Amino acid sequence: MRMLAAMLISAGLLAGCGETAQTVGDYRGKTDAKPYEANYGGDKAKWESALRARNQTQNEYKRVH
């Protein structure tokens, strides 16, 4: 029984050593677009002000008082 347990443990430990890198060449994925580029034409200040206004409508304290 001990021999079987030792063999299973050693097989489990050795299985992790065989892992290889999963990248293909130099490709690291595409870059993400900025969130304000799609709807606001790249105007970050306009996007931030719209975001602030939307957050204020979700503010419970501001809605109640």
Side-chain angles (χ1 to χ4, degrees):
M1 191 66 164
R2 280 187 169 174
M3 184 66 149
L4 177 63
M7 287 174 53
L8 288 175
I9 290 173
S10 63
L13 291 174
L14 288 175
C17 296
E19 187 172 343
T20 59
Q22 298 180 1
T23 57
V24 178
D26 291 332
Y27 181 71
R28 299 288 183 239
K30 69 177 189 122
T31 57
D32 291 333
K34 304 287 187 222
Y36 49 84
E37 285 178 355
N39 296 332
Y40 297 95
D43 188 3
K44 187 175 181 180
K46 187 176 177 183
W47 174 74
E48 286 176 343
S49 94
L51 191 65
R52 241 181 265 110
R54 188 180 74 199
N55 287 342
Q56 285 304 317
T57 62
Q58 295 176 356
N59 187 351
E60 281 292 318
Y61 184 78
K62 198 152 180 104
R63 284 188 354 192
V64 173
H65 292 97

